Amino acid sequence: MFDRVAPGYDRANTVMVAGQDKRWRRAVREALSLQPGERCLDLGAGTGVSTVELAKSGADVIGVDFSLGMLKAHKDRQVPLVNADALHLPFADNAFNAVTGSFFIRNVADLDACLTEIRRVLAPGGRMVLCEVSTPVWKPYRKAHGVFVKHVLPKVAGRVGSDPDAYRYLSESTLEWPDQAAFADRIVKAGFRKVAWRNLTGGAVAMHRGFK
């Protein structure tokens, strides 16, 4: 599915969220506080646009994605991009100072196994920041957001994206994803400490952070 949407993926995402994706990527980079010489793993990197943003910090950043189509869509990115499964990462234990991912973890086959694998490759004291869809905190906005995601988003994606069926799936997965507290609880159960979250765009998106 992600191979099919790869050609127009970045454009469709930017249009659907009115350009807020750039602000979210910057917020993730700032939350990670990456330093030159640190190693960072960017999971679900897609075409590598998030990896490029993270690399502005001066850290050594590697992007990983399960979809070869995504990686090939922008193979000219000046960052290392690796084809791999987030449930079985081809990296040693304790290999990274930071692990991150934006709008990918709700698409993995086993959320808890993915969190365990992230913790495995993190060095002791390392941090994880995950940016994902979430639940708006203001009730009227939450209701309007639900209508947008369920009815408007698939139509917009059908016009600007390359696969309307895929974006219907993305719409459904957004509505089914746990809220901020429930996701935080899963992170805690995976063994992370000092787990917290920060709402973006009124809670429609949230960054969750945890430490090994």
Side-chain angles (χ1 to χ4, degrees):
M1 181 189 71
F2 283 98
D3 286 350
R4 296 198 308 269
V5 302
Y9 187 74
D10 290 336
R11 180 186 62 175
N13 280 349
T14 297
V15 171
M16 286 187 295
V17 300
Q20 294 182 88
D21 54 324
K22 295 179 181 179
R23 182 169 65 88
W24 297 335
R25 285 193 293 271
R26 186 169 60 250
V28 169
R29 175 171 57 80
E30 293 171 352
L32 283 165
S33 299
L34 295 170
Q35 302 299 315
E38 288 191 314
R39 300 190 71 210
C40 177
L41 186 62
D42 181 24
L43 297 176
T47 65
V49 65
S50 58
T51 314
V52 169
E53 176 66 33
L54 294 168
K56 292 178 181 178
S57 65
D60 296 324
V61 187
I62 299 175
V64 168
D65 203 277
F66 192 61
S67 165
L68 274 173
M70 282 286 187
L71 297 176
K72 290 177 179 178
H74 284 287
K75 56 187 178 182
D76 58 333
R77 303 276 191 208
Q78 299 301 307
V79 289
L81 298 173
V82 177
N83 179 230
D85 183 353
L87 300 181
H88 305 282
L89 293 169
F91 303 107
D93 296 356
N94 309 319
F96 295 92
N97 305 104
V99 177
T100 188
S102 295
F103 307 105
F104 98 96
I105 198 164
R106 77 182 190 278
N107 299 310
V108 299
D110 188 330
L111 169 60
D112 299 318
C114 185
L115 291 170
T116 298
E117 185 70 346
I118 290 173
R119 190 174 182 277
R120 179 186 70 80
V121 300
L122 265 179
R127 64 273 195 200
M128 172 188 72
V129 172
L130 297 174
C131 185
E132 189 52 88
V133 298
S134 200
T135 304
V137 293
W138 188 43
K139 189 173 181 179
Y141 176 39
R142 184 161 62 241
K143 184 175 181 180
H145 179 260
V147 172
F148 172 78
V149 170
K150 186 174 182 179
H151 300 290
V152 179
L153 187 148
K155 292 181 180 179
V156 174
R159 291 181 178 273
V160 299
S162 54
D163 191 323
D165 289 336
Y167 283 100
R168 274 192 286 273
Y169 155 74
L170 293 174
S171 173
E172 292 168 0
S173 68
T174 296
L175 296 173
E176 294 169 0
W177 185 249
D179 66 14
Q180 291 89 327
F183 184 35
D185 185 57
R186 301 284 282 273
I187 295 172
V188 170
K189 289 179 178 177
F192 288 87
R193 61 185 181 85
K194 296 183 180 179
V195 176
W197 70 82
R198 173 187 166 196
N199 289 317
L200 303 174
T201 319
V205 169
M207 292 189 301
H208 281 70
R209 183 176 65 186
F211 293 85
K212 179 172 177 178

